[in-house]
Amino acid sequence: MSIIDCHVHLNCYPGVGHNRSVERVKKLLEVMNKNGINYSLILSSYKSDAYRPSAAEIIEITKKYENNLGVVAGFTIDNHGEEDLNNYKKWLKDGVIKGIKLYCGYEHYYPYDKGYQRVYDMCVEYDAPVMIHTGDTFSNTAKIRFSHPLTVDDIAVDNPDLKIVMCHLGNPWMVDCQEVIYKNKNVYADISGLFIGDFTQSVKSYYVNKIKELLSYIGDPHRILYGTDWPISDIESYIKFVQSLNLDQRESDLLMFGNAKKIFRL
Ligand SMILES: [Zn+2]
């Protein structure tokens, strides 16, 4: 596998083209093909509506592309219930989904809220990671104290067998994120969603420096995963961005596919 993007969405925002999920998938495959991406994990949202397909819908739509697309199911305390949890458990067991994503911040609960414990337990049972939104949000009703990366330390300590992927490196609290990763061997992070669309030279150098600093502090290239947050972020600019990190071949292979392959058992 050459590149695995561990973080994309099928959400359509009003005013954005390709506003049907099936067309969205075709668009995604087209962009992946153009940029040498072999596999993407599609994360279902914190709720399902006309703009946000549910995990079940995404599974249905992507079934015929299983060699190139995988699904991570979104879970929230407020919008998901018993039936969803039962489905998720079955899908984890059968490998139909590769992990579960939480939307702390978008919903107003800390990662250590007991309402999430069943998700952690089933992820441990089936050796699948939980992905947790950390840092800035794409919504003005979100409350960011719930998405601060330091709050992940509690569940990392209390669930030592749980693999945790912090999304977006806790941006802008990357120093907190790097300490949580460094301290807890079961914590990883993806580099998705650092900027919307394309990005300017100054923004690029800002994040290049931050990521280099984070990698040196952690001192372990096995902990960071490539992801974009497409369609919010642009896939082509993300590839260019990663190239400007000037990683050696081994580090680059781990970031671009090796770590994701292992963590999500792809
Ligand atoms: Zn995302």
Side-chain angles (χ1 to χ4, degrees), residues 72-128:
V72 169
F75 175 80
T76 56
I77 292 171
D78 289 343
N79 301 318
H80 295 85
E82 198 62 28
E83 199 190 329
D84 296 295
L85 284 171
N86 290 336
N87 282 336
Y88 288 7
K89 191 169 175 149
K90 192 173 77 212
W91 291 336
L92 281 176
K93 183 169 179 260
D94 299 340
V96 173
I97 58 172
K98 310 297 178 193
I100 296 180
K101 161 92 186 282
L102 306 184
Y103 287 87
C104 302
Y106 288 93
E107 69 168 351
H108 305 158
Y109 302 99
Y110 289 110
Y112 46 78
D113 191 284
K114 57 182 188 315
Y116 294 126
Q117 190 58 45
R118 275 183 62 195
V119 168
Y120 302 150
D121 294 343
M122 64 175 83
C123 282
V124 169
E125 188 175 354
Y126 299 108
D127 193 22

Side-chain angles (χ1 to χ4, degrees), residues 39-265:
Y39 194 89
S40 293
L41 283 169
I42 301 172
L43 282 42
S44 69
S45 194
Y46 53 89
K47 61 176 177 183
S48 44
D49 57 23
Y51 300 111
R52 302 171 181 86
S54 66
E57 290 171 281
I58 299 176
I59 291 167
E60 187 57 35
I61 299 168
T62 58
K63 211 156 52 185
K64 58 180 167 188
Y65 308 111
E66 62 176 0
N67 293 332
N68 303 100
L69 300 174
V71 181
V72 169
F75 175 80
T76 56
I77 292 171
D78 289 343
N79 301 318
H80 295 85
E82 198 62 28
E83 199 190 329
D84 296 295
L85 284 171
N86 290 336
N87 282 336
Y88 288 7
K89 191 169 175 149
K90 192 173 77 212
W91 291 336
L92 281 176
K93 183 169 179 260
D94 299 340
V96 173
I97 58 172
K98 310 297 178 193
I100 296 180
K101 161 92 186 282
L102 306 184
Y103 287 87
C104 302
Y106 288 93
E107 69 168 351
H108 305 158
Y109 302 99
Y110 289 110
Y112 46 78
D113 191 284
K114 57 182 188 315
Y116 294 126
Q117 190 58 45
R118 275 183 62 195
V119 168
Y120 302 150
D121 294 343
M122 64 175 83
C123 282
V124 169
E125 188 175 354
Y126 299 108
D127 193 22
V130 64
M131 299 179 82
I132 303 180
H133 175 88
T134 58
D136 186 35
T137 55
F138 198 60
S139 157
N140 51 16
T141 57
K143 294 186 176 174
I144 51 179
R145 69 186 153 102
F146 298 106
S147 59
H148 194 288
L150 263 192
T151 61
V152 172
D153 184 54
D154 287 70
I155 58 163
V157 171
D158 296 340
N159 301 270
D161 297 324
L162 176 66
K163 294 182 285 191
I164 303 164
V165 178
M166 289 197 273
C167 303
H168 323 300
L169 298 172
N171 186 35
W173 299 293
M174 293 196 188
V175 176
D176 302 82
C177 174
Q178 76 194 30
E179 170 56 16
V180 175
I181 297 173
Y182 172 76
K183 172 181 168 285
N184 301 291
K185 303 304 171 214
N186 53 336
V187 181
Y188 307 82
D190 78 36
I191 64 166
S192 71
L194 298 179
F195 46 85
I196 292 174
D198 203 348
F199 57 128
T200 61
Q201 192 51 48
S202 65
V203 170
K204 190 193 255 182
S205 15
Y206 172 84
Y207 283 116
V208 164
N209 291 334
K210 289 283 178 192
I211 292 179
K212 284 196 149 308
E213 203 178 289
L214 178 136
L215 284 170
S216 329
Y217 182 83
I218 298 169
D220 177 1
H222 295 88
R223 317 289 286 281
I224 306 297
L225 289 73
Y226 178 75
T228 58
D229 219 8
W230 183 88
I232 297 172
S233 298
D234 178 67
I235 288 179
E236 204 170 329
S237 353
Y238 243 87
I239 299 278
K240 285 189 196 138
F241 168 69
V242 171
Q243 284 162 353
S244 41
L245 288 171
N246 285 319
L247 300 173
D248 66 33
Q249 195 59 50
R250 175 173 169 264
E251 287 175 326
S252 169
D253 287 353
L254 288 169
L255 172 74
M256 299 311 280
F257 62 91
N259 295 340
K261 201 169 187 307
K262 186 161 178 248
I263 295 162
F264 290 94
R265 302 194 305 146

